[in-house]
Amino acid sequence: RNWPTTTRDTSWGSGVAHWLIVCQAVIIMAESNGKKRAKKYYQDYGRAGSKRHKGGIEAGMQGVLVSCAVQGKEGKCVLEAYDILKEYLGIDAAAGASAAPVESELDKEIAALKAKAKAGQQDLQSCNTNTKGLIFISMSKDFEPCAVIHRMLSDMLATKEYKGRFCQRFLPITHVCFAGLDEIRATAQTMLKPFFADQKTATSFAVVYKCRNNGTLQRDVVIDTVATIAACEGRHTVDLDNAELTIIVEVLTKVCGMSVVRDFTRLRRYNAHQIVPQAAPAKKEAAGKDGVKGQADTAVKEVEGADDAEGDESEGSGPEDADDS
């Protein structure tokens, strides 16, 4: 029999098409035993290009490493860090946009928009750290993280006012490299040269080291490597109590962030909640579900709390250890 080629050829064509669709659905259900396709709960996030690894900390970045005072509030911590940093970055942008005095607020906004359009990138961007209680806010190369954070904390110390609640410690990061000893040595030589090798006068320094979610690096080896470069064959000396310059070394899984900061002791180890204790959350809230445990016995009292709950630590060392040099 010659069947019609389209449903428009006969009046019963639409009915045949309907029954064909129904039969096809019945066959599919019979093959699957009447069950829906099982949901895929496992996703291979180790593949290259996986969404989970996009937006992480990468070599060549700079920014601010911020610890969250309350576990599980990292999202609010990011928004709070944006608001706090934008206030000081706006001051820097207005000051560096033009040497001439700005006449009005409208001129300031226009100058800031032009500077941002010229840069072609976002000034601030949150990056994944794969560590609980810790966020990283990357900055564009137009700003200096150490200068911004130093001025922000100095203002807090002078005014005893802090608008934040969840952001606890602000550590500027100027250099990021792969968390390997050779890469750390090469990055340290480049970063420390203008602070130590190029300086003729003696300078006291200290090394603050913390490692999270990395079991390959040895704490003493990394500290000794960085300290040897900074000492410049004995020209500069170590001072753990009141160093002029403090070298920050933060290891997060496969990356290492470093910087050189000033007034680390005077600014309470860059802990905003120690500068302005009234801004810290209630102890019960800050402790979280699991409480604050771990290495509180070996930590300095003034930095106890959420810092011990930031994530898994390697070799049991942290920024609060005063003997890291």
Side-chain angles (χ1 to χ4, degrees):
R1 182 176 180 180
N2 295 328
W3 293 93
T5 56
T6 63
T7 58
R8 296 181 180 179
D9 294 339
T10 62
S11 59
W12 50 271
S14 58
V16 173
H18 172 75
W19 282 106
L20 288 175
I21 294 174
V22 173
C23 293
Q24 185 178 8
V26 172
I27 294 173
I28 293 174
M29 292 294 291
E31 292 177 351
S32 60
N33 295 326
K35 297 181 180 180
K36 294 183 179 179
R37 183 179 297 178
K39 184 177 180 180
K40 187 177 182 181
Y41 290 96
Y42 170 76
Q43 178 69 29
D44 185 7
Y45 286 110
R47 299 177 300 175
S50 174
K51 292 183 179 180
R52 182 167 182 154
H53 290 277
K54 290 182 179 180
I57 306 176
E58 299 178 356
M61 283 185 172
Q62 69 170 16
V64 184
L65 196 63
V66 184
S67 62
C68 184
V70 183
Q71 284 193 8
K73 302 294 184 180
E74 289 82 1
K76 293 184 178 180
C77 187
V78 170
L79 298 178
E80 185 176 279
Y82 280 159
D83 294 337
I84 296 173
L85 293 174
K86 282 180 180 180
E87 179 180 353
Y88 286 88
L89 291 179
I91 295 174
D92 284 346
S98 176
V102 182
E103 297 181 357
S104 64
E105 294 294 332
L106 180 60
D107 293 334
K108 288 183 180 181
E109 295 181 3
I110 295 175
L113 290 175
K114 287 182 178 180
K116 187 173 182 178
K118 184 177 180 180
Q121 57 183 350
Q122 294 182 354
D123 293 335
L124 298 175
Q125 186 174 3
S126 175
C127 299
N128 185 19
T129 62
N130 293 321
T131 305
K132 293 182 179 180
L134 202 66
I135 65 173
F136 182 78
I137 307 296
S138 66
M139 286 186 183
S140 66
K141 298 296 183 179
D142 298 331
F143 306 102
E144 297 182 1
C146 292
V148 173
I149 299 303
H150 186 276
R151 185 174 60 187
M152 181 186 73
L153 297 176
S154 297
D155 290 347
M156 293 182 192
L157 186 62
T159 62
K160 293 299 179 180
E161 294 181 358
Y162 177 44
K163 300 178 181 178
R165 181 187 177 204
F166 299 103
C167 296
Q168 181 176 11
R169 170 171 287 147
F170 296 83
L171 289 179
I173 300 295
T174 58
H175 294 72
V176 177
C177 66
F178 177 74
L181 188 60
D182 294 337
E183 289 79 2
I184 293 175
R185 181 185 293 108
T187 303
Q189 289 175 347
T190 302
M191 181 187 68
L192 299 178
K193 186 176 183 295
F195 296 96
F196 298 98
D198 295 344
Q199 300 296 326
K200 297 181 180 180
T201 58
T203 304
S204 61
F205 70 93
V207 178
V208 172
Y209 172 84
K210 190 160 190 174
C211 183
R212 301 176 180 86
N213 302 331
N214 185 301
T216 59
L217 291 175
Q218 297 182 8
R219 169 179 173 271
D220 296 337
V221 174
V222 175
I223 293 176
D224 183 67
T225 300
V226 176
T228 301
I229 298 173
C232 295
E233 299 180 353
R235 188 194 313 171
H236 307 289
T237 58
V238 176
D239 186 353
L240 300 180
D241 297 327
N242 191 21
E244 298 178 44
L245 299 176
T246 302
I247 305 170
I248 304 296
V249 181
E250 290 278 339
V251 177
L252 298 173
T253 59
K254 296 183 179 180
V255 295
C256 176
M258 293 187 289
S259 64
V260 179
V261 299
R262 300 181 183 275
D263 300 326
F264 193 64
T265 303
R266 184 176 70 88
L267 296 178
R268 308 300 296 270
R269 306 177 73 84
Y270 281 42
N271 190 324
H273 286 172
Q274 294 301 321
I275 297 176
V276 187
Q278 299 84 352
K283 179 180 287 188
K284 182 177 180 180
E285 181 181 5
K289 296 180 180 179
D290 299 329
V292 179
K293 297 181 180 179
Q295 302 170 5
D297 295 335
T298 59
V300 177
K301 291 183 179 179
E302 65 180 12
V303 293
E304 285 181 344
D307 288 345
D308 295 327
E310 288 175 359
D312 297 335
E313 299 177 10
S314 173
E315 302 295 328
S317 62
E320 51 273 333
D321 295 334
D323 59 346
D324 288 352
S325 60

